[in-house]
Amino acid sequence: MAVLQLEEITMEFGGLRALDLVDIKVEEQQIYGIIGPNGAGKTTLFNIITGIYLPTGGKVIFKDCLLNKMHPWDVARQGIGRTFQNIRLFNKLSVLDNVRVGSHGVSKSGFFGSMLGLPSSRREEKMIVEKAEHLLELVGLGEKKLEYADNLAYGEQRRLEIARAMALNPSLLLLDEPAAGMNSTEKVELMDLIWKIRNEMQLTIILVEHDMNLVMNICEQIAVLDYGRKIADGPPEVVKNDERVIQSYLGAEA
Amino acid sequence: MDALISQYIDPYYLRILMLIGINIILALGLNLITGVTGQLSMGHAGFMSIGAYTSAILSMQMGSPFFLSLLAGAMVAAFFGFLIGIPTLRLEGDYLAMVTIGFAEIIRVFFLNFEPGGKAVGLSGIPQNTTFVLVWTLVIIIIILNAKLLSSRIGRAFYAIRENEIAAEASGINSTRLKVLAFTAGSFLAGLGGGLYAHYMYFIRPQDFAFMKSIELLNMVVLGGMGSIPGTILGSVILTLLPEMLRIVAEYRLLFYGALLVILMIFRPNGLLGDVRVYDIKKKLQGKKVGLWQSSN
Ligand SMILES: Nc1ncnc2c1ncn2[C@@H]1O[C@H](COP(=O)(O)OP(=O)(O)O)[C@@H](O)[C@H]1O
Ligand SMILES: [Mg+2]
């Protein structure tokens, strides 16, 4: 049974068809790659899955549940975490607080409970902090937890976004170009991190990435988008040798 | 206690201290909405007037006990904050500012024509029940509750909405609901401050709560530091004292507030204390120490 199933997803912006009848099926605990040239519609696909855009047509089904028309916060509470291509951190909050906010969807303390410091709120808060600190260690930002998020280097900010998304205890994690702007050492570390997250926390990961080396190494299944259409999918070896993919994408880079 | 205080403190200073306390309550309410959650409200005085009139009318015409009047004023203001918040908080930035200005004007015009509120003449003879001890006890309680709220899950969600609404929603934050919550809580404090004000001043008129008052409150939050409790307190103190001490400021209020906002936006958009943290100061001091030690070697 697929964790996430996209059926004939179509998205139009005015006259522009950014996605055209895209079908994608992601299995439990897969690392699934989505590649394609700039403007192919990869980020738009993430925005549709997470409820930021309402698709013009098609269905988003997550664990038997139809996500179309759900608010972004409800999608998040279903267990879908994400990062953003153009980094979106809470700049004037500390690194630790950024991750603590990530727990919002899976915690409960309300207005009065928080304000009055009721025991249940305090207990929950303690767990939120412990989880946040653990996640920061995992992504290697434990030392920086009191810095403002906007004081971090670029690569660190990308890792902080991953930690924040993980605070939601997601069963599906969407990473939009997580290696963009990283140097090659950072990229290797990132690959390790993605592997580790998947294996230790048993979740499914969808990855949009331009670095072919990274994608081919880490993904078990890949879909290729071009001008809003899916032109190929399959395991890396298959996609790598696909005529159309070489023509429209891989060939262009070589 | 109050008798003791009025014996030892000069009435002029006592009055300023009372106004500072009331302004802190009002500004902390606006800080929740604009400073913390990032929703620009330019009509805070409108909610203040709802609290002032509701509580004054209850005390004078229904003989309700003071505490009940105060609470009712705050609740009615909160209820209007809630009602207005639902449709308007979908608007962004400038639009929200305009709608809040419009709402406060409508309230003012309503009270200008409201028979039980004495129309343009206003109400006088409101029982002077607001005491120094009451105001400052409330200030302390409100500061503590505010601080607890802002360091909690809900408070962090408020800040997250201000910092990046899309990322906040992706973390499971229902931004619409929380914006309405911040607006309601902020309006509650506006209503409470209004009730205290009415029962201190003895006399209220619609023009006491005009646009200028909203701008004055906004300035307190912006000057002290958006989203910072110590900052908001500092802003309230400075902007209550300045017009009292400098006649020129009092006479050219509008000009002064406008210029102050522009200067802040250019030089310190986060206000005096908005992004100042003990952690950063410590780090800087440590950095300096290391620097000195190195240079002496
Ligand atoms: N909100 C929007 N309004 C109009 N056009 C958009 C919007 N979002 C994306 N697009 C367009 O959709 C196409 C796909 O964009 P995007 O999904 O960002 O591509 P990718 O992530 O693959 O580089 C582009 O042509 C882009 O200009
Ligand atoms: Mg993109």
Side-chain angles (χ1 to χ4, degrees):
Chain A
M1 179 57 214
V3 180
L4 181 77
Q5 201 163 343
L6 305 180
E7 289 177 10
E8 304 193 329
I9 294 290
T10 299
M11 184 75 212
E12 284 172 4
F13 294 110
L16 177 86
R17 187 165 271 221
L19 289 172
D20 193 6
L21 298 172
V22 174
D23 289 302
I24 280 178
K25 207 172 181 181
V26 183
E27 301 294 333
E28 192 101 33
Q29 292 189 44
Q30 228 168 24
I31 299 183
Y32 194 105
I34 297 178
I35 61 174
N38 273 327
K42 305 178 299 291
T43 298
T44 303
L45 203 61
F46 273 14
N47 287 340
I48 286 173
I49 297 171
T50 53
I52 292 176
Y53 295 154
L54 181 66
T56 319
K59 285 184 190 163
V60 181
I61 300 162
F62 176 64
K63 293 181 177 169
D64 290 331
C65 177
L66 190 67
L67 293 192
N68 304 44
K69 295 189 186 171
M70 257 194 207
H71 292 294
W73 50 85
D74 288 326
V75 174
R77 287 164 188 218
Q78 293 285 316
I80 301 184
R82 72 170 290 182
T83 66
F84 296 89
Q85 179 182 352
N86 47 342
I87 298 173
R88 290 178 173 277
L89 288 169
F90 310 123
N91 284 331
K92 288 292 172 206
L93 292 187
S94 71
V95 166
L96 182 67
D97 278 349
N98 268 267
V99 185
R100 286 212 272 175
V101 171
S103 290
H104 191 95
V106 287
S107 48
K108 288 202 211 50
S109 299
F111 181 77
F112 291 104
S114 299
M115 202 160 57
L116 302 175
L118 298 185
S120 60
S121 296
R122 267 185 297 172
R123 230 174 298 128
E124 185 177 78
E125 192 60 39
K126 206 170 145 233
M127 273 162 53
I128 289 175
V129 174
E130 275 167 15
K131 179 165 74 174
E133 286 180 338
H134 171 75
L135 287 170
L136 285 175
E137 290 300 333
L138 187 76
V139 301
L141 290 174
E143 305 264 286
K144 306 238 165 167
K145 66 179 181 183
L146 294 178
E147 297 288 338
Y148 273 139
D150 65 352
N151 282 348
L152 296 186
Y154 200 70
E156 293 174 330
Q157 296 198 343
R158 291 222 172 270
R159 279 182 280 143
L160 177 54
E161 276 216 333
I162 294 178
R164 180 180 67 189
M166 292 299 299
L168 198 56
N169 306 336
S171 49
L172 173 64
L173 180 64
L174 311 178
L175 303 175
D176 199 347
E177 305 203 13
M182 286 188 173
N183 63 35
S184 48
T185 342
E186 284 178 315
K187 279 181 187 174
V188 173
E189 283 169 8
L190 179 73
M191 272 200 270
D192 287 343
L193 177 65
I194 294 174
W195 266 106
K196 204 158 119 190
I197 288 176
R198 195 272 303 266
N199 295 340
E200 279 180 17
M201 317 213 173
Q202 294 164 6
L203 43 71
T204 313
I205 295 175
I206 307 182
L207 185 77
V208 164
E209 189 44 65
H210 276 301
D211 187 303
M212 275 311 126
N213 190 24
L214 192 147
V215 172
M216 295 297 169
N217 259 313
I218 204 172
C219 297
E220 291 134 356
Q221 195 79 11
I222 294 172
V224 187
L225 290 185
D226 192 25
Y227 291 109
R229 283 166 200 250
K230 188 179 77 177
I231 56 171
D233 64 0
E237 323 64 77
V238 176
V239 167
K240 230 187 292 193
N241 301 316
D242 187 282
E243 268 311 303
R244 293 178 63 188
V245 176
I246 293 168
Q247 249 179 25
S248 78
Y249 189 50
L250 297 177
E253 248 183 33
Chain B
M1 180 79 179
D2 274 302
L4 228 97
I5 285 166
S6 55
Q7 218 169 27
Y8 285 99
I9 302 181
D10 182 90
Y12 174 71
Y13 293 115
L14 195 60
R15 178 172 164 274
I16 292 179
L17 286 175
M18 295 286 279
L19 291 178
I20 287 178
I22 293 172
N23 280 335
I24 287 176
I25 293 173
L26 291 164
L28 282 175
L30 183 60
N31 182 49
L32 277 182
I33 299 169
T34 301
V36 177
T37 316
Q39 307 302 304
L40 183 54
S41 166
M42 299 179 86
H44 204 57
F47 296 99
M48 179 188 174
S49 72
I50 293 177
Y53 273 95
T54 306
S55 63
I57 289 171
L58 282 176
S59 291
M60 291 171 66
Q61 294 165 19
M62 318 266 166
S64 115
F66 175 49
F67 283 100
L68 207 62
S69 306
L70 260 191
L71 186 66
M75 298 282 268
V76 173
F79 178 69
F80 273 92
F82 175 74
L83 274 192
I84 305 292
I86 293 171
T88 52
L89 289 169
R90 290 168 200 280
L91 302 171
E92 278 176 18
D94 303 346
Y95 295 104
L96 179 62
M98 278 191 272
V99 170
T100 50
I101 292 173
F103 171 72
E105 272 306 288
I106 291 170
I107 297 282
R108 195 177 62 84
V109 172
F110 171 80
F111 284 124
L112 269 178
N113 294 290
F114 185 53
E115 197 74 57
K119 295 194 164 183
V121 180
L123 285 173
S124 61
I126 307 164
Q128 280 184 297
N129 288 326
T130 303
T131 64
F132 180 88
V133 173
L134 175 68
V135 168
W136 282 92
T137 309
L138 283 175
V139 166
I140 289 166
I141 293 173
I142 289 166
I143 289 173
I144 292 172
L145 291 183
N146 243 280
K148 285 218 169 188
L149 179 69
L150 292 188
S151 63
S152 76
R153 168 178 182 262
I154 300 290
R156 281 193 308 270
F158 287 158
Y159 283 114
I161 290 171
R162 176 189 81 181
E163 292 293 307
N164 198 312
E165 196 166 336
I166 289 180
E169 292 181 351
S171 302
I173 291 170
N174 181 338
S175 58
T176 314
R177 220 182 121 229
L178 282 180
K179 282 188 211 168
V180 173
L181 181 61
F183 211 74
T184 308
S187 303
F188 180 91
L189 291 181
L192 181 64
L196 291 168
Y197 179 83
H199 288 79
Y200 174 64
M201 296 306 268
Y202 177 77
F203 164 56
I204 54 173
R205 294 166 306 177
Q207 74 225 55
D208 297 340
F209 313 101
F211 184 56
M212 183 72 77
K213 183 68 189 176
S214 294
I215 293 302
E216 183 188 320
L217 292 168
L218 184 63
N219 263 295
M220 291 174 186
V221 173
V222 177
L223 170 67
M226 299 282 244
S228 149
I229 296 174
T232 302
I233 295 170
L234 181 67
S236 310
V237 173
I238 294 178
L239 288 186
T240 314
L241 286 178
L242 264 188
E244 294 287 341
M245 300 197 308
L246 297 173
R247 276 193 62 85
I248 187 128
V249 172
E251 274 168 30
Y252 296 96
R253 248 169 223 246
L254 189 59
L255 197 68
F256 171 71
Y257 289 140
L260 183 65
L261 270 185
V262 171
I263 292 169
L264 278 172
M265 288 304 156
I266 296 172
F267 294 104
R268 272 203 78 83
N270 290 310
L272 295 176
L273 300 178
D275 54 1
V276 177
R277 298 184 305 169
V278 177
Y279 171 74
D280 294 310
I281 296 171
K282 267 195 196 151
K283 210 173 75 172
K284 230 180 222 161
L285 287 178
Q286 276 165 1
K288 280 219 181 90
K289 259 187 224 145
V290 172
L292 279 173
W293 178 79
Q294 279 171 339
S295 64
S296 66
N297 269 278

